[in-house]
Amino acid sequence: MFRVLFLECMQEVSSFNPVPSAYENFRIDRGNSMLSQRGLNTAIGGALAVLEAEPEITVVPGYGARSDSAGPLSAAGWQRLSSELLEVVDRNADVDAVLVSLHGAMAAIGELDPEGALLTEIRRRMGPQTPIVMSLDLHGIVTSRMIEAVNGLAIYYTYPHRDFADTGARAARVLLKLLRERPDTTIVRVTIPALVRGNELITDTGIYGEYLRECLELEESGAAIAAGVMIGNPFTDVPELCSQVLIMTDRDPAAAVATAERIAAAFWAARERMQAHLTPLAEAIAGARAINDGTVLFSDAADAPSSGSSGDSNLLIRGLRDAGYGGKVLAQIVDAGAAAAAHQAGVGATIEVDLGGALDRKRFSPMRVVARVKLLSDGESRLETMGIPLSAGPTAVLTFDNFTVVAFSRSLSLFDRAMYYANGIDPVDYDLVVVKSPHTEHHMYEAWVRRNFIVDVAGSTSANLPTLGHTVCARPMFPLDPAVPYAPQATLFHSHLSTPPARAAGGAR
């Protein structure tokens, strides 16, 4: 029997969000509570489906920590989180392998490579002959320290993301190969000094999807054990922020090097194309006015909590009101004060409150409104895509003039319709809908709205990347700098797993 330890540490941050996150932002699963992800569209759910079907595998559920995206994790939060996870590793140091579900774009105050720090410590505790495999979001920032600590990986192939479970399943199959065959492997890494955003990253329709499909073909043909193109998270300002190609092989690495460098060169050539096309607010409002027979979408990518923002931008609401836009507007905002005032007043009451601008105060200022409390809720729901819980805290639906605004007490992922539905709202009933996300799955909005404007306003996740103020990532970096020289050059990371003595003798460790 092989015993496989399951670990999870998932958070994506924006370094430009002034509000630090904390340990309390995380949902913690210890031991068997991790098994609640069975059947869910998560990396852990997908890995469980594969490994629990293998009679020679015993799953050891260890420790899971999952947070919505936010600002950098506090030093105290990181210390507690990492200590708890590593204590579980210490108690299970006799397992045969480790599977770790990560996002890859985490950052903490005092530790800019948390995933690398965790993986290094897991490797130190497990020793050199225990296979360790990680699964990653394609927005992750894979560092050299991370690659040096693992034997294998699996990376998302879709954006907007929907292949969470599939990625976990692929990671599990990589782990099975390492356990059964113990091959010598090489991970080929080619970094690209480019930060990218925009519609060309939508994998079903954009050029980025072409690179990922080639990587998938490498896996399916057996030419590579794993492959992917990581685009990082441009809002996580850390030393190794970049885009990169990764190919894992157990063959002569020369072919993998040539393929990785070729894909990197093609990606670099298309870097201008892979930038967001943003619409100034006044132009977007004029465009919305011109459409009178359907719904318009305003994507507030600059304040996307799923990318790490604070969620309290009122710039689109204010702009629409000040411009006198007359259509029915549906919007969302993170504002604990407004939600609390509504809950105190009760349904049907009229309240005067400041809306927005309570968290990211340098970018947003409070907007005074007189609103009717239409509905109150506990803010509980589940993501359409993954089925995992959403918890917004006390939530209120406020109406004023031609606006309906859902106010949440806590930041949360808003890249689907779950929180609108959970509060008795259907976006199709409105002339203009605000979504705090750069993209959503096609069927959620794009399939039926008349037009989607990605609006160019301020925010800690703005796709207007040069405005953010990067100070830590390597430079020069496109598009932060005017002239960036580049020639693809691979770095190779070799892994050798000899057969452990106890396993060679047929015994259990």
Side-chain angles (χ1 to χ4, degrees):
M1 297 292 292
F2 294 114
R3 299 173 67 242
V4 178
L5 178 63
F6 272 53
L7 302 169
E8 181 177 42
C9 187
M10 298 277 288
Q11 188 186 40
E12 179 181 27
V13 310
S14 169
S15 303
F16 308 104
N17 181 347
V19 184
S21 56
Y23 176 87
E24 289 71 24
N25 285 68
F26 288 81
R27 172 182 171 174
I28 306 296
D29 287 315
R30 294 178 172 84
N32 286 338
S33 66
M34 289 189 76
L35 302 179
S36 65
Q37 293 192 50
R38 282 183 180 133
L40 295 185
N41 187 17
T42 66
I44 293 294
L48 284 170
V50 169
L51 293 180
E52 288 189 323
E54 297 292 333
E56 80 224 70
I57 300 295
T58 297
V59 168
V60 181
Y63 184 91
R66 179 186 289 273
S67 168
D68 286 315
S69 302
L73 181 59
S74 68
W78 163 243
Q79 176 60 36
R80 182 176 176 185
L81 190 74
S82 58
S83 295
E84 289 183 356
L85 187 149
L86 292 173
E87 285 172 7
V88 171
V89 174
D90 286 335
R91 291 198 299 270
N92 295 278
D94 61 341
V95 297
D96 298 287
V98 182
L99 188 142
V100 192
S101 173
L102 302 169
H103 182 284
M106 192 176 181
I109 296 171
E111 177 53 76
L112 294 180
D113 182 15
E115 291 96 341
L118 284 176
L119 290 169
T120 298
E121 284 302 309
I122 294 168
R123 171 59 70 198
R124 186 176 69 82
R125 287 160 163 80
M126 291 295 173
Q129 295 306 310
T130 301
I132 300 173
V133 173
M134 60 181 175
S135 62
L136 295 160
D137 191 310
L138 55 79
H139 289 104
I141 302 154
V142 177
T143 66
S144 55
R145 186 160 61 155
M146 292 169 67
I147 304 174
E148 288 166 352
V150 303
N151 305 99
L153 49 84
I155 301 163
Y156 294 176
Y157 279 139
T158 64
Y159 177 71
H161 307 312
R162 58 180 183 271
D163 62 331
F164 307 100
D166 179 69
T167 303
R170 287 166 39 234
R173 287 191 285 269
V174 171
L175 191 64
L176 285 172
K177 181 179 179 67
L178 295 175
L179 276 170
R180 291 166 173 165
E181 302 175 21
R182 305 192 74 82
D184 291 342
T185 58
T186 301
I187 295 177
V188 176
R189 181 196 193 202
V190 182
T191 60
I192 310 164
L195 308 180
V196 293
R197 300 298 287 172
N199 288 340
E200 287 295 333
L201 303 184
I202 298 173
T203 50
D204 286 347
T205 58
I207 191 171
Y208 176 46
E210 297 176 13
Y211 309 135
L212 291 178
R213 283 187 284 278
E214 181 170 357
C215 291
L216 178 59
E217 288 171 6
L218 290 173
E219 287 190 12
E220 291 179 340
S221 69
I225 298 173
V229 181
M230 309 279 289
I231 54 175
N233 179 35
F235 319 118
T236 309
D237 188 17
V238 293
E240 293 189 51
L241 173 64
C242 64
S243 298
Q244 55 188 302
V245 182
L246 296 165
I247 299 178
M248 175 188 175
T249 182
D250 59 352
R251 303 179 179 184
D252 183 340
V257 168
T259 300
E261 291 183 345
R262 176 177 53 76
I263 293 173
F267 187 101
W268 176 252
R271 66 193 183 280
E272 294 276 4
R273 184 173 166 184
M274 291 186 287
Q275 295 299 304
H277 298 285
L278 304 176
T279 304
L281 179 55
E283 184 179 325
I285 294 171
R289 278 200 178 104
I291 297 172
N292 54 22
D293 59 347
T295 301
V296 174
L297 189 67
F298 272 23
S299 294
D300 190 4
D303 188 37
S306 56
S307 300
S309 75
S310 53
D312 66 322
S313 171
N314 52 23
L315 296 181
L316 298 189
I317 300 170
R318 186 193 297 273
L320 288 161
R321 186 182 70 170
D322 291 350
Y325 175 78
K328 292 189 299 180
V329 177
L330 173 63
Q332 49 197 185
I333 200 162
V334 176
D335 193 320
H343 275 259
Q344 184 175 1
V347 173
T350 297
I351 58 175
E352 185 174 358
V353 292
D354 286 333
L355 194 62
L359 301 173
D360 193 343
R361 297 184 179 181
K362 288 186 178 180
R363 293 185 177 94
F364 321 125
S365 58
M367 172 184 173
R368 198 71 172 172
V369 301
V370 177
R372 177 178 176 270
V373 181
K374 183 176 181 180
L375 183 144
L376 299 172
S377 78
D378 60 5
E380 298 295 319
S381 186
R382 286 184 176 271
L383 282 172
E384 290 183 70
T385 47
M386 301 172 71
I388 63 173
L390 287 172
S391 184
T395 296
V397 178
L398 305 176
T399 60
F400 56 94
D401 302 327
N402 54 319
F403 292 83
T404 298
V405 178
V406 186
F408 311 109
S409 293
R410 290 195 291 269
S411 178
L412 72 162
S413 293
L414 296 171
F415 54 75
D416 62 14
R417 302 162 297 189
M419 292 310 295
Y420 282 146
Y421 288 159
N423 287 279
I425 294 168
D426 191 335
V428 301
D429 296 330
Y430 293 82
D431 300 305
L432 189 151
V433 179
V434 174
V435 175
K436 287 183 177 290
S437 176
H439 296 106
T440 64
E441 284 194 46
H442 181 75
H443 71 277
M444 294 180 184
Y445 290 100
E446 292 279 358
W448 58 272
V449 299
R450 288 292 307 280
R451 180 81 183 273
N452 177 11
F453 294 94
I454 302 177
V455 188
D456 189 7
V457 288
S460 61
T461 58
S462 170
N464 191 347
L465 301 179
T467 68
L468 291 173
H470 291 76
T471 59
V472 179
C473 72
R475 306 294 283 269
M477 177 72 67
F478 175 85
L480 308 182
D481 300 299
V484 184
Y486 179 63
Q489 185 171 0
T491 302
L492 277 59
F493 298 81
H494 301 289
S495 174
H496 176 68
L497 289 171
S498 62
T499 303
R503 181 63 63 198
R509 285 167 51 182

